[in-house]
Amino acid sequence: MNNREKNRDLSRKLKVALLTNIISPYRIPCFNSVAASDLIELDVFFFAEKEKNRKWTVYREEIAFNYKILKGLHFNFKNERTIHINPGLPFHLLKKRYDLLAIGGWDQPANWIALFFANLWRSKILLFGESTLRDARTNNPLLEKMKRYFFRNCHAFAPAGSAAANYFQHLGAPQDKIVISPFPAEHDYFHEQYLRLRGSKKEIKRHKGYPQITILFSGRFVPVKGIDFLLEAFKRLQEQNKEIGLVLLGDGPEKNKYEAYCKAKKIDNVFFEGFVQKEQLPEYYTAADIFVLPSLSEPWGLVVNEAMAFGIPIISTDAAGVTYDLVQDGVNGFVIPAGNSEALYDALKKLTEDAKLRERMGSESLLMIENHTPEKWAQSFIRAVQTAMK
């Protein structure tokens, strides 16, 4: 290639194909921001529109990037995993020879197909994701070898946070090829709702019938979320103060078990509100005085981003990826050992008994979340693309 051809090649946008499981609401603003760049021509391939255990509304009208929902077969397993088989993916990848494939993980057949074809025509590979060393996994030796092989064939990495970056390095990612791309929620939307509703806390609580102090959890009702430990800690709080309530947003296979536990133990003021779509979330965050993420395994924990946008102090475990980037113990909340109901009780007690502490920590949450936006994620992602292309 002569100099003129090189200059022309550098002047065009990089053709990037991004592969990910489903249309997640919080990813749409991120991909929109990448697509708006003058540097990248982005096509996003979704393995499916949605998954059985995800009840999110699909906001197609908000999508401003090129995308394709691949046809395929979808298998749901008891552990809540979904495997997607997308035999048509090679056709789409061959149709438009991409400069780079951005792959959101190694756990789907389509990811390995993409790896094969990228190696075939020497496209670059960027791996992004949020898995950490603390995630629940089988530690199967064969799977670990497969992961390391996958990593050896990638040219750059965009982990969601520092905990994910440590895991990526553990699997062989060179430090100079890692560009941390902080995992964002739909910050602008939630911040706007915070400004709109912040004077309505008492009114919302009264309307929903919540007590004076409200603790909030949002997530799937599955064992790894640690809801058992949260209910155990809350039971002890209730024995001392009946003016404390616990709001549980979400659904899942363990819901009946938790409801039965509350009934058997005579725990009052636990509100099972079911799964809540994005439009209804702001009222619950506004009503909350404390947000708890008691997870035993959690690659990230995006609900913490959302809660912080409403100025709420956070209690999270050391098993959640978000903890290492967004929760500073004693500053905007407390970090506790996963599975430790005693530590969770102590943290809740401190916050429920001290309104000034809640206010101070909530203010810190607002400040800390300001820069965790889709635009910032897109900037980091583009730097990771450029790192891969070097």
Side-chain angles (χ1 to χ4, degrees):
M1 183 183 291
N2 59 38
N3 289 336
R4 184 177 179 181
E5 287 173 324
K6 285 182 180 178
N7 290 336
R8 185 172 66 245
D9 194 57
L10 290 171
S11 67
R12 70 171 175 81
K13 288 186 175 183
L14 291 170
K15 292 186 292 183
V16 173
L18 189 151
L19 281 63
T20 189
N21 285 19
I22 59 174
I23 306 177
S24 304
Y26 55 86
R27 285 296 196 187
I28 291 174
C30 295
F31 299 161
N32 283 345
S33 294
V34 173
S37 166
D38 294 329
L39 303 173
I40 287 179
E41 180 184 328
L42 180 69
D43 293 331
V44 179
F45 293 97
F46 296 107
F47 304 153
E49 182 179 70
K50 56 176 65 177
E51 291 176 345
K52 185 178 179 181
N53 65 335
R54 304 291 186 184
K55 297 181 180 179
W56 296 315
T57 297
V58 177
Y59 301 93
R60 290 202 187 205
E61 69 281 1
E62 297 179 5
I63 296 176
F65 51 85
N66 295 324
Y67 73 97
K68 178 78 175 177
I69 301 171
L70 299 171
K71 295 180 180 179
L73 301 173
H74 314 287
F75 301 93
N76 301 299
F77 296 89
K78 288 183 178 180
N79 63 357
E80 301 240 312
R81 278 181 52 78
T82 302
I83 296 296
H84 306 284
I85 307 293
N86 306 102
L89 177 62
F91 168 78
H92 296 289
L93 297 181
L94 286 167
K95 187 177 178 182
K96 187 174 180 180
R97 293 292 185 90
Y98 291 95
D99 299 298
L100 178 141
L101 303 185
I103 303 175
W106 53 81
D107 60 342
Q108 295 290 343
N111 296 331
W112 290 88
I113 291 171
L115 183 74
F116 172 80
F117 278 94
N119 284 330
L120 193 65
W121 66 68
R122 297 184 180 179
S123 291
K124 303 294 185 180
I125 303 169
L126 168 64
L127 182 67
F128 67 97
E130 60 268 14
S131 293
T132 76
L133 281 165
R134 293 293 301 271
D135 290 351
R137 53 176 59 90
T138 62
N139 291 320
N140 182 297
L142 177 60
L143 290 178
E144 293 304 308
K145 286 182 180 179
M146 290 174 66
K147 286 182 203 174
R148 290 182 182 277
Y149 174 84
F150 203 105
F151 271 72
R152 286 198 301 272
N153 283 273
C154 295
H155 301 89
F157 306 86
S162 55
N166 290 337
Y167 182 49
F168 280 27
Q169 283 187 265
H170 170 75
L171 290 174
Q175 189 171 2
D176 63 342
K177 296 296 183 180
I178 292 176
V179 180
I180 294 179
S181 302
F183 213 170
E186 297 177 75
H187 181 268
D188 289 349
Y189 170 78
F190 286 113
H191 185 65
E192 288 171 5
Q193 296 303 309
Y194 160 73
L195 295 177
R196 180 176 71 88
L197 294 170
R198 59 182 172 178
S200 307
K201 182 184 282 283
K202 289 183 179 179
E203 181 184 342
I204 292 171
K205 282 186 178 182
R206 184 167 57 251
H207 174 71
K208 294 184 177 295
Y210 296 161
Q212 183 179 354
I213 300 173
T214 303
I215 301 163
L216 178 65
F217 164 87
S218 180
R220 290 282 295 159
F221 284 26
V222 290
V224 295
K225 291 294 184 178
I227 300 172
D228 307 71
F229 300 97
L230 175 56
L231 290 173
E232 187 178 334
F234 180 71
K235 178 179 179 295
R236 291 181 61 188
L237 280 176
Q238 268 254 310
E239 291 168 355
Q240 302 165 31
N241 187 349
K242 292 293 183 182
E243 286 303 311
I244 301 174
L246 174 62
V247 177
L248 302 174
L249 302 183
D251 205 347
E254 299 289 297
K255 184 179 179 181
N256 291 340
K257 170 188 167 183
Y258 301 141
E259 289 178 329
Y261 176 86
C262 292
K263 185 176 181 180
K265 299 293 183 179
K266 298 180 180 179
I267 309 174
D268 299 323
N269 289 334
V270 179
F271 301 84
F272 290 87
E273 299 285 21
F275 180 83
V276 175
Q277 296 289 355
K278 181 177 74 173
E279 293 84 0
Q280 288 77 48
L281 277 173
E283 285 199 353
Y284 291 99
Y285 284 126
T286 300
D289 300 286
I290 303 163
F291 186 86
V292 182
L293 185 69
S295 301
L296 309 179
S297 175
E298 188 82 51
W300 182 256
L302 203 66
V303 286
V304 168
N305 296 61
E306 296 173 356
M308 288 175 65
F310 285 81
I312 306 174
I314 307 296
I315 300 173
S316 62
T317 70
D318 56 5
V322 68
T323 302
Y324 297 86
D325 295 271
L326 287 180
V327 185
Q328 293 184 21
D329 190 56
V331 178
N332 71 317
F334 295 106
V335 178
I336 61 170
N340 190 324
S341 61
E342 181 70 31
L344 179 51
Y345 164 76
D346 289 341
L348 284 169
K349 194 170 189 301
K350 288 176 184 175
L351 282 169
T352 54
E353 291 180 348
D354 193 335
K356 288 185 178 179
L357 180 63
R358 294 197 301 272
E359 183 178 357
R360 176 173 65 79
M361 287 186 165
S363 296
E364 291 291 340
S365 283
L366 274 176
L367 291 173
M368 291 169 63
I369 202 63
E370 279 182 344
N371 289 321
H372 283 257
T373 64
E375 291 76 21
K376 290 291 183 181
W377 182 89
Q379 291 169 14
S380 300
F381 179 84
I382 292 169
R383 285 201 304 274
V385 169
Q386 293 170 329
T387 299
M389 295 304 298
K390 288 180 182 177

